[in-house]
Amino acid sequence: MGIDRRENMAKKVAVIGAGNVGATCAYFVAKSNIADVTLVDVVEGMPQAKADDFSHTAPSTGFARTVAGTNDYAEIAGADVVVHTAGIPRKPGMDRMDLLKTNVGIAQTAGKNIAHYAPNAVVIAVANPLDIISMVLLRETQFPSRRVVGMAGILDSTRFQYFIAEKLGVLPADVQAMVLGGHGDSMVPLPSYTSVAGVPVKELLDKATIEQLIERTRKGGGEIVSYLKTGSAFYAPAASAARMAEAVVTGRKRYCPASAYLDGEFGYQGIYLGVPIVLGSGGVERIIELPLSQQEKADLDTSAEHVRDGVKTLDSIDTSG
Ligand code: A3D
């Protein structure tokens, strides 16, 4: 299985939810010239307006793709990738789980429409609570689990990379980091798999400083929520989702952490959890079972337990609603 170098002319990415994350993600994807983009939202006129506005940047930015906005799910037909961002974001004082009830209903509608109109797509979940919304999309689409994946670890890792680079005064792109686990305060940054141009971070920073940066990574999303007050981060989440969409559209086999459905990997069964994967045109092409220290595995167990609790809440909503 080599890298897929087929021409991408006919590729299409649909983004559901044309709010902060969705619209920014659509723009990143369109600007990278890898696919045509369709933006879907329930608010009348808004996705159309944003799509037109993006299109008018083409002479300045040079992108050559079409961007369409619509209120009709039928227009996602033929999408190779569907990025699901529709749903309410956090406000100060809220936990990602507080969004569950509202966002599950939205994801159920989206999942049914994706299955109907884009039955061959790879779905990238972004709406929160991420690991639970990924499960909802899996259940509603009934796609093979490798075709429903959640964006979180790649974002959490880039935050960890950025904080390390900032501390060391080096180029962020030279830092490689790995953050596993559920997308929440129990996420598991792994210094043992984090390096700066191949040099283990433990050689460059002391233990206390690394611990501080880990804590900042866990709270990175929350910091932005408390500054913004009316919503949550969107540039970095959108850039991460666009990178994942790009890996699928281009068939590049990107090694990244993402929320994948586990069927025994790392000892977990039937939940979505952030783990290292290879992402390509088929979606999750491989899950990499890294060796973990006792402490890392214990932290991942705690994170998995939080996700399991979320699935229980989801199931109670399903049966009562
Ligand atoms: P926001 O700017 O409010 O956009 C959400 C959009 O969804 C709005 O334009 C809504 O009109 C739209 N929408 C609502 N219901 C539907 C529907 N049924 N069909 C289509 N569109 C609909 O929020 P945002 O873009 O900042 O955040 C979107 C979601 O992403 C939230 O749940 C956030 O919590 C989540 N998020 C996740 C991450 C991760 O790292 C996983 C990061 C940032 C945001």
Side-chain angles (χ1 to χ4, degrees):
M1 289 212 305
I3 290 175
D4 182 354
R5 296 192 193 282
R6 280 171 303 172
E7 184 52 72
N8 297 316
M9 289 306 284
K11 299 283 181 175
K12 173 169 170 177
V13 173
V15 180
I16 301 178
N20 281 338
V21 178
T24 313
C25 174
Y27 192 52
F28 281 137
V29 171
K31 209 165 160 295
S32 67
N33 271 325
I34 54 161
D36 296 326
V37 180
T38 299
L39 256 181
V40 186
D41 203 287
V42 284
V43 179
E44 274 183 38
M46 186 265 269
Q48 293 86 342
K50 290 189 179 180
D52 280 358
D53 194 15
F54 290 172
S55 303
H56 301 166
T57 72
S60 309
T61 59
F63 81 75
R65 297 296 176 169
T66 64
V67 185
T70 180
N71 306 114
D72 184 357
Y73 274 103
E75 292 188 37
I76 71 171
D80 301 281
V81 178
V82 179
V83 182
H84 175 77
T85 75
I88 53 167
R90 282 193 289 169
K91 296 214 168 80
M94 284 174 104
D95 185 70
R96 291 176 180 90
M97 285 302 289
D98 296 332
L99 310 173
L100 191 134
K101 210 161 180 177
T102 307
N103 289 355
V104 164
I106 295 171
Q108 285 172 331
T109 307
K112 286 188 183 75
N113 281 291
I114 296 166
H116 186 70
Y117 293 112
N120 300 314
V122 170
V123 181
I124 300 172
V126 178
N128 272 315
L130 190 271
D131 307 284
I132 308 302
I133 294 298
S134 303
M135 179 69 98
V136 173
L137 291 169
L138 176 74
R139 288 178 179 176
E140 294 298 331
T141 56
Q142 297 188 16
F143 286 176
S145 58
R146 66 184 162 78
R147 284 208 279 125
V148 181
V149 60
M151 183 292 294
I154 191 166
L155 168 67
D156 299 327
S157 300
T158 54
R159 285 191 174 133
F160 194 28
Q161 284 167 243
Y162 181 79
F163 296 141
I164 291 168
E166 188 185 40
K167 182 59 83 183
L168 290 169
V170 301
L171 189 71
D174 281 348
V175 184
Q176 302 291 318
M178 181 64 70
V179 178
L180 304 186
H183 183 58
D185 294 346
S186 67
M187 68 180 74
V188 187
L190 296 178
S192 55
Y193 290 102
T194 297
S195 68
V196 182
V199 180
V201 71
K202 288 173 178 172
E203 303 296 327
L204 302 168
L205 293 170
D206 61 43
K207 206 169 170 214
T209 307
I210 294 174
E211 272 311 313
Q212 274 172 13
L213 300 181
I214 286 179
E215 207 38 38
R216 182 131 193 244
T217 301
R218 291 201 178 106
K219 300 277 158 62
E223 256 181 49
I224 291 174
V225 171
S226 47
Y227 279 133
L228 273 177
K229 298 187 178 61
T230 53
S232 56
F234 55 98
Y235 288 113
S240 298
R243 250 170 81 185
M244 289 179 70
E246 189 177 333
V248 177
V249 165
T250 59
R252 285 181 199 139
K253 317 240 176 231
R254 286 209 82 137
Y255 189 118
C256 62
S259 186
Y261 183 81
L262 300 183
D263 188 14
E265 293 89 351
F266 288 91
Y268 309 115
Q269 189 69 47
I271 53 167
Y272 270 87
L273 194 68
V275 292
I277 64 163
V278 175
L279 186 64
S281 53
V284 180
E285 299 193 348
R286 214 162 4 126
I287 293 173
I288 317 286
E289 290 191 74
L290 295 176
L292 298 176
S293 70
Q294 260 187 349
Q295 185 58 53
E296 290 166 344
K297 180 67 170 79
D299 291 347
L300 199 58
D301 284 347
T302 305
S303 194
E305 209 40 54
H306 282 121
V307 175
R308 259 191 221 106
D309 288 345
V311 175
K312 278 185 205 147
T313 310
L314 168 67
D315 290 339
S316 69
I317 292 176
D318 277 351
T319 49
S320 64

